[in-house]
Amino acid sequence: MNKAAILHKPGWNYVYPLDRNTLKIRLKAAKNDLQEVKVIFGSRYDGKAPYNVKKMELVASDGLYDYFETSITMDDNRFRYLFYLSDGSEGIWFTEKGFSNIKPGKSFGYGEYFQYPVINEGDIFSIPEWVQDAVFYQVFPERFNNGNTDNDPDRIRPWGAKPESDSFFGGDLEGIIKKLDYLENLGVNALYLNPIFSSTSNHKYNIDDFYKVDPSFGNKEILKKLVVEVHRRGIRVILDAVFNHSGFNFFAFKDVRENGASSKYSDWFFIDNYPVKTTPPVNYDTFANDVIDMPKLNTSNPEVQDYLLGAAEYWLNEVDIDGWRLDVADEVDHNFWRKFRERVKKIKPNAYIVGEIWHNSEKWLQGDQFDAIMNYPLEMSVLDFFAYKKIGPGEFSNRLVRNWMLYQDRVNYSMLNLLDSHDTRRLINFFSGEKELMKLAVLFQFTYPGAPMIYYGDEVGIEGEDDPDCRRCMVWDIEKQDKDLYKYYQKLISLRHELIPLRRGDYQPIVIDEIKNTYGFLRSYEDESIVVIINNSPLSQKYTLAGNLFGYKKEISNYL
Amino acid sequence: MNKAAILHKPGWNYVYPLDRNTLKIRLKAAKNDLQEVKVIFGSRYDGKAPYNVKKMELVASDGLYDYFETSITMDDNRFRYLFYLSDGSEGIWFTEKGFSNIKPGKSFGYGEYFQYPVINEGDIFSIPEWVQDAVFYQVFPERFNNGNTDNDPDRIRPWGAKPESDSFFGGDLEGIIKKLDYLENLGVNALYLNPIFSSTSNHKYNIDDFYKVDPSFGNKEILKKLVVEVHRRGIRVILDAVFNHSGFNFFAFKDVRENGASSKYSDWFFIDNYPVKTTPPVNYDTFANDVIDMPKLNTSNPEVQDYLLGAAEYWLNEVDIDGWRLDVADEVDHNFWRKFRERVKKIKPNAYIVGEIWHNSEKWLQGDQFDAIMNYPLEMSVLDFFAYKKIGPGEFSNRLVRNWMLYQDRVNYSMLNLLDSHDTRRLINFFSGEKELMKLAVLFQFTYPGAPMIYYGDEVGIEGEDDPDCRRCMVWDIEKQDKDLYKYYQKLISLRHELIPLRRGDYQPIVIDEIKNTYGFLRSYEDESIVVIINNSPLSQKYTLAGNLFGYKKEISNYL
């Protein structure tokens, strides 16, 4: 037995409460090492044997590991437990103190068992249910639709011209309101808007006033109207919280620039010395390096925290948005995010909190900070498999499993699953224009657990290389829209709304075929099941489902 | 290479900040598997090769694993890194995405590297420095000294009589004040008092009023005087926060008992149905099972949180205590503890927060909740080695390493290292009266990292089996005190105060001798080193230190 590879930890993604009397338990072992895994459990205040015994199921494998899971329920909510492991030749017990050939009995006392000391209500990770049913649509407001030419910035470029990093085109909130029919027809039921607060740039990631809608986008009343209108259509909307840094003309940074060390806001930023030098190399921390108009905020400073948390609360209270997407979320103080969660959820328990993190996000997804992240790790796996052909279905599956096993199930079902964004090239460009392959990736996106998100215009075939090219104007001329693609998206969206297994169902790979380059999986929810088999090869393939999966025989082809 | 056994996680005890530009990095591998471990690191915003390379040292091993560590520093505080691992025959790279035979280059992009996105001030785990210099003394106030007979409970028993679970002897706060000379002479510089708030029991773990000193112990003014007096002597004092449950006559529980479901405090507890039934089996959750006078508090309830946090703040503000010991800490809501930490540290950044947890405590010791725990896991290892002889020096060392590797170093140096308490039998009883063996354990306690704590009276030879016998009255009759033991403790305390390596020094085992049953270690701080070799056998042993450790030759025997 490869004991050194066996992992269980008394918390995090290895044991967590589903409700006040149920724990989900996970154990990881080297691939193909264990034949039998059982969890033996009881109340931590009841020393009496025998305890309950439950078999743990092998639920997934990747290249290195097998993962075993089960859930255990008791009347009491104070657990202790240990594992029995067998590789066929050796059987051992596994406790908090390690491995033992002797079963820890009552005489071993409380010292040996793993403990889940109690399930308190506040320690159960609560994520809004609606996220699992959401199909998101990301709008970059400056480029979506110009609904009011009166508020246009000076010298806007003609709609549809090639965007440069400093171009303006006049998109605004009224423009979004005017296109809600379009979004409703497409079928999406959630919007994510890139930043809309007072800012000098077209992307507005350098915010000068966190309490003010940018005048070229509208004002608070128009935002309020937008939210009312989308809610009326059953659509939710989340905004972009850019709390890692401010803009150049943010009042506090202005004060520091003007008053130097004597500014009462000097601790709001990270200034190396005075006076503040605003030509590169600058003498203050910024987002990335030397981004002059994005001075990094000191989010460990309680004053800064109060200011930003106030803004987060303000927009929830004033216009009733449905959550926040958090920009550069992994460079902001963890304690800030804990307070953020508490204050946001207090105002709106159903608010969705989703961080922009491109990497392992375990530290933020334990229930005390975010609900989920923008699932860039999933995007990268999808692109490597479908677009770059860097990996086959086996490694694709391994990566999905590895990413899945980092989090609690409910987090995985609430991920914001995107394939591109304002920070990447356009999806069709990842595929070098090969639309049929892109469709496979989108099919996967819409049939995998987690809320899919469409980057505005992908559904009509907008192209674009890296920023700023990926931020081209939305194409409204129906002659220039890719109708085939639009219908494909529309159908997938409607299937996802219609078929609950796609939203809530278990996920189980059933085809991993390296030769045929085919990957298939089963989504099951109660008595409904859906099979998706994706042929990632240029050849036509035929599959017969093992064991007559659906109890009847029917040939399906080109369903979509 | 046993790849499945290799573990690094981008956070927790596997990578954490020491200051705003330095990370401590740890990697775990199967024992004797890796010959070379290097970390390759750079700024996450600088894609330029070559990155910095640093060798990671094998710092410890247990029965299953080797642990490699180093610290890395950059001008920037936003890190990305990967590992190079070699077992002598195979060399591989290890990133967030797994293992690779090809070095991830710039082309792999940001997707591959482990990330430590930024070191924010608020994410650095800050623990009061004084704890490392502390020698604690635990006082069970009802049994330490009766300083004022006017406040005695009715029917107190004669001082020194055998305690029953409901006995009273009249100990009080004035009694402690009167014995401060004694404590100062012993040399301790920190006190932990068992609960002192309004309660019907002698142990006062069933608190009826969290804002009031129990009248039989004194009042707020006397507590204030106690704190002033101990501070005047350079002694710190922490109190016992019993927040998992209240007492039977706590105003809110009284209200629920009287008004049933209509009580506005019904959500402060866990009541199955009404009316509240207070004879066993009771119909409400209690500490453990059916402990009638300890109804469990709903610490996820914001009202309960406010009440209890208010009490924690009250005693810090009113009498300037130096921290809190947290009773049944692992059965209280995590978010409650996060708020507790924030509010306590805001009032007194130097306050010590130490939880009562007998098990793996990783979930509480990441910087957002406690500073440390009462180190019961250490106690159990010490007893198994020195008292019960269940394990030899090898397994003793393995257990120390395993426990150590759960936490950040600074936590280990701030642990509250006890060998007995009001919840166990007396230390001498663990040793069945074999004082010379007990002395070995105490020697280890005082020379190991973490703050040692003496349970009142152990130093004068008080005996006692499990509760209530372990709560006997302090022996003040010097004829009945074990003077030899007292001097032994006094000497160890004074050595610990005198020799900084014992408090701050690195810890490195240097002798693990199964045959001779001997365990020795080196404590090094800057240019001072101390060697401790503990002969846990009945035979006399002689050791020659390898490599002329101290640069001179001197025979030492019976130093203590």
Side-chain angles (χ1 to χ4, degrees):
Chain A
M1 195 181 296
N2 188 348
K3 291 194 187 84
I6 291 165
L7 186 66
H8 172 79
K9 288 172 81 73
W12 300 281
N13 50 328
Y14 281 91
V15 52
Y16 56 87
L18 300 179
D19 57 47
R20 282 213 67 212
N21 295 90
T22 306
L23 291 176
K24 178 84 177 257
I25 298 208
R26 183 179 287 167
L27 181 138
K28 187 171 91 167
K31 193 173 166 72
N32 297 327
D33 191 33
L34 299 185
Q35 291 191 2
E36 189 182 6
V37 179
K38 288 176 179 166
V39 59
I40 300 140
F41 63 99
S43 163
R44 80 187 305 218
Y45 287 101
D46 178 5
K48 287 198 295 288
Y51 273 16
N52 309 291
V53 179
K54 196 158 178 200
K55 184 177 185 300
M56 293 179 68
E57 303 294 335
L58 175 63
V59 295
S61 299
D62 61 24
L64 270 180
Y65 300 107
D66 285 340
Y67 299 87
F68 298 87
E69 291 183 352
T70 195
S71 58
I72 58 177
T73 303
M74 297 193 308
D75 286 340
D76 197 356
N77 55 16
R78 300 163 301 177
F79 291 74
R80 55 175 166 172
Y81 59 97
L82 73 166
F83 300 97
Y84 173 78
L85 315 172
S86 170
D87 63 1
S89 63
E90 185 188 10
I92 56 168
W93 281 268
F94 176 39
T95 71
E96 184 179 283
K97 296 283 181 282
F99 299 96
S100 166
N101 294 311
I102 306 157
K103 181 175 180 180
K106 210 187 157 206
S107 64
F108 274 54
Y110 40 73
E112 297 284 318
Y113 290 75
F114 287 107
Q115 307 277 316
Y116 201 94
V118 73
I119 302 174
N120 279 307
E121 191 66 38
D123 297 326
I124 301 172
F125 196 164
S126 164
I127 303 178
E129 284 286 320
W130 65 263
V131 176
Q132 295 186 45
D133 299 324
V135 174
F136 271 87
Y137 189 88
Q138 175 180 352
V139 170
F140 190 85
E142 224 277 318
R143 306 292 155 75
F144 190 62
N145 189 36
N146 188 345
N148 179 354
T149 54
D150 291 344
N151 63 17
D152 287 354
D154 294 342
R155 291 182 299 278
I156 62 168
R157 308 197 61 206
W159 196 261
K162 188 174 170 58
E164 305 296 335
S165 58
D166 56 357
S167 308
F168 287 90
F169 291 86
D172 52 29
L173 297 184
E174 283 177 82
I176 300 171
I177 295 171
K178 287 178 176 161
K179 294 299 184 184
L180 291 179
D181 284 348
Y182 172 83
L183 295 173
E184 205 174 3
N185 285 333
L186 179 60
V188 301
N189 59 3
L191 295 182
Y192 152 47
L193 307 189
N194 284 96
I196 58 168
F197 305 122
S198 211
S199 167
T200 56
S201 65
N202 52 42
H203 52 69
K204 312 225 173 291
Y205 278 102
N206 52 327
I207 297 177
D208 289 332
D209 187 343
F210 292 80
Y211 287 80
K212 189 179 170 193
V213 173
D214 190 90
S216 72
F217 281 1
N219 56 40
K220 189 169 80 176
E221 293 315 310
I222 294 168
L223 177 60
K224 214 178 252 182
K225 186 178 166 206
L226 168 64
V227 175
V228 168
E229 285 297 316
V230 300
H231 283 177
R232 205 170 55 76
R233 292 163 195 259
I235 298 175
R236 287 184 168 85
V237 57
I238 68 171
L239 298 183
D240 207 321
V242 190
F243 289 169
N244 176 64
H245 49 265
S246 75
F248 192 77
N249 294 313
F250 177 53
F251 82 94
F253 192 63
K254 207 164 159 230
D255 197 275
V256 172
R257 283 191 284 119
E258 285 166 6
N259 299 310
S262 69
S263 166
K264 59 181 174 175
Y265 302 107
S266 60
D267 289 339
W268 285 41
F269 304 93
F270 301 96
I271 320 264
D272 297 334
N273 45 62
Y274 294 92
V276 176
K277 179 171 169 290
T278 58
T279 50
V282 301
N283 60 357
Y284 54 93
D285 288 4
T286 70
F287 167 68
N289 291 325
D290 280 330
V291 182
I292 294 161
D293 62 351
M294 293 185 180
K296 183 170 167 63
L297 284 162
N298 179 1
T299 52
S300 301
N301 179 333
E303 288 170 26
V304 176
Q305 295 185 348
D306 281 343
Y307 176 86
L308 296 173
L309 294 172
E313 291 174 326
Y314 179 80
W315 295 109
L316 283 161
N317 284 325
E318 292 287 316
V319 301
D320 194 25
I321 56 169
D322 300 294
W324 286 105
R325 176 266 189 189
L326 315 171
D327 187 54
V328 200
D330 58 359
E331 298 188 15
V332 170
D333 185 290
H334 285 277
N335 288 311
F336 173 80
W337 288 134
R338 291 190 182 103
K339 290 179 204 168
F340 178 89
R341 182 180 189 83
E342 193 190 357
R343 287 168 67 165
V344 164
K345 298 279 184 179
K346 193 169 183 179
I347 294 171
K348 194 160 190 168
N350 258 343
Y352 181 42
I353 299 173
V354 56
E356 183 210 9
I357 302 187
W358 296 53
H359 292 272
N360 179 312
S361 302
E362 290 173 86
K363 283 200 291 184
W364 295 269
L365 295 178
Q366 300 301 332
D368 57 329
Q369 296 171 66
F370 313 156
D371 291 323
I373 56 159
M374 296 177 82
N375 205 349
Y376 281 108
L378 182 74
E379 177 196 323
M380 291 181 230
S381 299
V382 167
L383 296 177
D384 280 347
F385 180 49
F386 292 105
Y388 303 140
K389 312 286 190 199
K390 271 169 63 178
I391 56 175
E395 180 56 17
F396 179 58
S397 176
N398 289 345
R399 289 216 204 154
L400 295 181
V401 169
R402 253 177 259 148
N403 199 44
W404 184 276
M405 289 298 166
L406 295 176
Y407 310 111
Q408 298 187 15
D409 287 351
R410 74 189 92 206
V411 172
N412 288 315
Y413 281 85
S414 309
M415 284 285 188
L416 191 53
N417 289 341
L418 72 169
L419 297 182
D420 60 347
S421 74
H422 63 292
D423 279 333
T424 69
R425 64 190 60 177
R426 285 273 177 182
L427 185 54
I428 189 68
N429 290 60
F430 279 123
F431 285 88
S432 307
E434 291 193 72
K435 195 170 76 173
E436 293 309 307
L437 286 179
M438 166 179 155
K439 279 182 173 177
L440 289 187
V442 175
L443 168 64
F444 177 78
Q445 178 191 24
F446 276 83
T447 52
Y448 193 72
M453 180 159 78
I454 303 162
Y455 183 48
Y456 79 98
D458 279 356
E459 77 282 11
V460 293
I462 294 184
E463 297 178 354
E465 289 300 314
D466 288 345
D467 165 22
D469 195 37
C470 63
R471 302 169 182 184
R472 293 188 198 172
C473 295
M474 177 65 183
V475 174
W476 293 113
D477 179 349
I478 56 167
E479 295 306 312
K480 290 181 179 159
Q481 291 182 341
D482 184 326
K483 280 167 224 63
D484 167 68
L485 204 49
Y486 177 86
K487 277 184 188 143
Y488 185 78
Y489 271 98
Q490 199 179 34
K491 176 142 195 184
L492 280 175
I493 294 168
S494 114
L495 279 175
R496 191 169 171 99
H497 290 320
E498 186 188 328
L499 302 170
I500 192 166
L502 294 182
R503 307 192 306 275
R504 309 294 179 102
D506 292 342
Y507 182 89
Q508 190 61 46
I510 54 169
V511 176
I512 298 174
D513 190 329
E514 295 290 341
I515 308 297
K516 294 182 175 172
N517 200 6
T518 304
Y519 177 78
F521 52 92
L522 179 68
R523 302 291 314 269
S524 304
Y525 185 84
E526 295 173 357
D527 58 353
E528 279 185 75
S529 287
I530 294 185
V531 166
V532 178
I533 301 178
I534 303 179
N535 176 9
N536 196 25
S537 82
L539 306 173
S540 166
Q541 311 280 4
K542 188 167 175 173
Y543 270 89
T544 304
L545 291 176
N548 206 1
L549 199 58
F550 293 103
Y552 65 91
K553 206 175 162 184
K554 187 176 170 186
E555 192 160 306
I556 302 171
S557 64
N558 291 323
Y559 179 70
L560 288 171
Chain B
M1 194 181 296
N2 188 348
K3 292 194 188 80
I6 292 165
L7 185 66
H8 173 79
K9 287 173 83 70
W12 299 283
N13 49 329
Y14 280 90
V15 52
Y16 56 87
L18 300 179
D19 57 47
R20 281 214 67 215
N21 296 90
T22 306
L23 291 177
K24 179 84 177 257
I25 298 206
R26 183 180 287 166
L27 181 138
K28 186 172 91 166
K31 192 173 165 74
N32 297 327
D33 191 33
L34 300 186
Q35 290 191 1
E36 189 182 6
V37 179
K38 287 176 181 167
V39 59
I40 300 140
F41 64 99
S43 163
R44 82 188 303 220
Y45 287 102
D46 179 6
K48 287 198 296 287
Y51 273 19
N52 309 292
V53 179
K54 195 159 178 199
K55 184 177 186 300
M56 293 180 68
E57 304 294 336
L58 174 64
V59 295
S61 300
D62 61 23
L64 269 180
Y65 299 107
D66 285 339
Y67 299 87
F68 297 86
E69 290 183 352
T70 194
S71 57
I72 58 177
T73 304
M74 296 192 308
D75 286 339
D76 197 356
N77 55 15
R78 299 164 303 177
F79 291 74
R80 55 174 165 172
Y81 58 96
L82 73 166
F83 299 98
Y84 174 78
L85 315 172
S86 170
D87 63 1
S89 63
E90 185 187 10
I92 55 168
W93 280 268
F94 176 39
T95 71
E96 184 180 281
K97 295 284 181 281
F99 299 97
S100 167
N101 294 311
I102 306 158
K103 182 177 179 179
K106 211 188 156 206
S107 63
F108 275 53
Y110 40 73
E112 297 284 318
Y113 290 74
F114 287 106
Q115 307 278 316
Y116 201 94
V118 72
I119 303 173
N120 279 308
E121 191 67 37
D123 297 326
I124 301 172
F125 196 164
S126 164
I127 303 177
E129 285 285 320
W130 65 262
V131 176
Q132 295 186 45
D133 299 324
V135 174
F136 270 87
Y137 189 88
Q138 175 181 351
V139 170
F140 190 86
E142 223 278 318
R143 306 293 155 75
F144 190 62
N145 188 35
N146 189 346
N148 179 354
T149 53
D150 290 344
N151 62 16
D152 287 354
D154 295 342
R155 291 184 299 278
I156 62 168
R157 308 196 61 206
W159 197 259
K162 188 173 169 58
E164 304 297 336
S165 59
D166 57 357
S167 308
F168 287 91
F169 291 87
D172 53 28
L173 298 184
E174 283 177 82
I176 300 171
I177 294 171
K178 286 178 178 162
K179 294 298 183 184
L180 291 179
D181 283 349
Y182 172 84
L183 295 173
E184 204 174 2
N185 285 333
L186 180 59
V188 300
N189 58 4
L191 294 182
Y192 152 47
L193 307 189
N194 284 94
I196 59 169
F197 305 122
S198 210
S199 167
T200 55
S201 64
N202 52 44
H203 51 69
K204 312 225 173 289
Y205 278 101
N206 53 325
I207 297 177
D208 288 332
D209 187 343
F210 292 79
Y211 288 80
K212 188 179 170 193
V213 173
D214 190 273
S216 71
F217 282 1
N219 55 39
K220 188 169 79 176
E221 294 314 310
I222 294 168
L223 177 60
K224 215 178 252 182
K225 186 179 167 204
L226 168 64
V227 175
V228 168
E229 285 298 315
V230 301
H231 283 176
R232 205 170 54 76
R233 292 162 196 260
I235 298 175
R236 287 183 167 86
V237 58
I238 69 172
L239 298 183
D240 207 321
V242 188
F243 289 168
N244 177 65
H245 49 265
S246 76
F248 192 78
N249 293 314
F250 178 52
F251 82 96
F253 192 63
K254 207 164 161 230
D255 196 274
V256 172
R257 282 192 282 118
E258 286 166 7
N259 299 311
S262 69
S263 165
K264 59 180 174 175
Y265 302 107
S266 61
D267 288 340
W268 284 42
F269 305 93
F270 301 97
I271 320 266
D272 297 335
N273 45 61
Y274 294 92
V276 176
K277 179 172 171 289
T278 59
T279 51
V282 300
N283 60 357
Y284 54 91
D285 288 4
T286 70
F287 167 69
N289 291 326
D290 280 329
V291 182
I292 294 163
D293 62 351
M294 293 185 181
K296 182 170 168 63
L297 284 162
N298 179 2
T299 52
S300 301
N301 179 334
E303 289 170 27
V304 175
Q305 295 184 348
D306 281 343
Y307 177 86
L308 296 173
L309 294 173
E313 291 174 326
Y314 179 80
W315 294 110
L316 283 161
N317 284 325
E318 292 288 317
V319 302
D320 193 27
I321 57 168
D322 300 295
W324 285 106
R325 178 266 189 190
L326 315 172
D327 187 54
V328 201
D330 56 1
E331 298 188 15
V332 170
D333 186 291
H334 285 277
N335 288 311
F336 173 80
W337 288 134
R338 292 191 181 102
K339 290 179 202 169
F340 178 88
R341 182 180 189 84
E342 193 190 357
R343 288 168 68 164
V344 163
K345 298 279 185 178
K346 193 169 181 179
I347 294 171
K348 193 160 192 169
N350 258 343
Y352 181 42
I353 300 174
V354 56
E356 182 209 10
I357 302 187
W358 296 52
H359 292 273
N360 179 311
S361 302
E362 290 173 87
K363 285 200 289 183
W364 294 268
L365 296 178
Q366 299 302 331
D368 57 329
Q369 295 171 66
F370 314 155
D371 291 324
I373 56 159
M374 296 177 80
N375 205 349
Y376 280 108
L378 183 74
E379 178 195 324
M380 292 181 231
S381 299
V382 167
L383 295 177
D384 280 348
F385 180 49
F386 291 105
Y388 302 140
K389 311 285 190 201
K390 270 170 61 177
I391 56 175
E395 180 56 18
F396 180 58
S397 176
N398 289 345
R399 289 215 203 156
L400 295 181
V401 168
R402 254 177 257 149
N403 200 44
W404 184 276
M405 289 297 165
L406 295 176
Y407 310 111
Q408 298 187 17
D409 288 350
R410 74 190 93 205
V411 172
N412 288 315
Y413 281 86
S414 309
M415 284 284 187
L416 191 53
N417 289 341
L418 72 170
L419 297 182
D420 61 347
S421 74
H422 62 292
D423 280 333
T424 70
R425 64 191 59 176
R426 284 275 177 181
L427 186 54
I428 189 70
N429 290 60
F430 279 123
F431 285 87
S432 307
E434 291 193 74
K435 194 169 79 173
E436 292 310 306
L437 286 178
M438 166 180 154
K439 280 182 171 177
L440 289 186
V442 175
L443 168 65
F444 177 77
Q445 178 191 24
F446 276 83
T447 52
Y448 193 72
M453 180 159 78
I454 303 162
Y455 183 47
Y456 79 98
D458 279 357
E459 77 281 10
V460 293
I462 294 184
E463 296 178 356
E465 288 300 314
D466 288 346
D467 163 21
D469 195 37
C470 62
R471 302 171 182 183
R472 293 187 197 173
C473 295
M474 177 65 184
V475 174
W476 293 114
D477 178 348
I478 56 166
E479 294 308 310
K480 290 180 177 161
Q481 292 181 339
D482 184 327
K483 280 167 225 64
D484 168 67
L485 204 49
Y486 177 86
K487 277 184 187 144
Y488 185 77
Y489 270 98
Q490 198 179 36
K491 176 143 196 184
L492 280 175
I493 296 167
S494 113
L495 278 176
R496 193 169 170 96
H497 290 320
E498 184 189 330
L499 302 170
I500 191 164
L502 294 182
R503 307 193 305 276
R504 310 292 180 101
D506 292 342
Y507 182 89
Q508 190 61 46
I510 53 169
V511 177
I512 299 175
D513 190 329
E514 296 290 340
I515 309 297
K516 293 182 175 172
N517 200 6
T518 305
Y519 178 79
F521 51 92
L522 178 68
R523 303 289 317 269
S524 303
Y525 185 84
E526 294 174 356
D527 57 352
E528 280 185 75
S529 287
I530 295 185
V531 165
V532 179
I533 300 178
I534 303 180
N535 176 10
N536 195 24
S537 83
L539 305 173
S540 166
Q541 310 281 4
K542 187 167 175 173
Y543 270 89
T544 304
L545 292 176
N548 206 1
L549 200 58
F550 293 104
Y552 65 90
K553 206 174 163 183
K554 187 176 171 186
E555 192 161 305
I556 301 171
S557 64
N558 291 322
Y559 178 71
L560 288 171

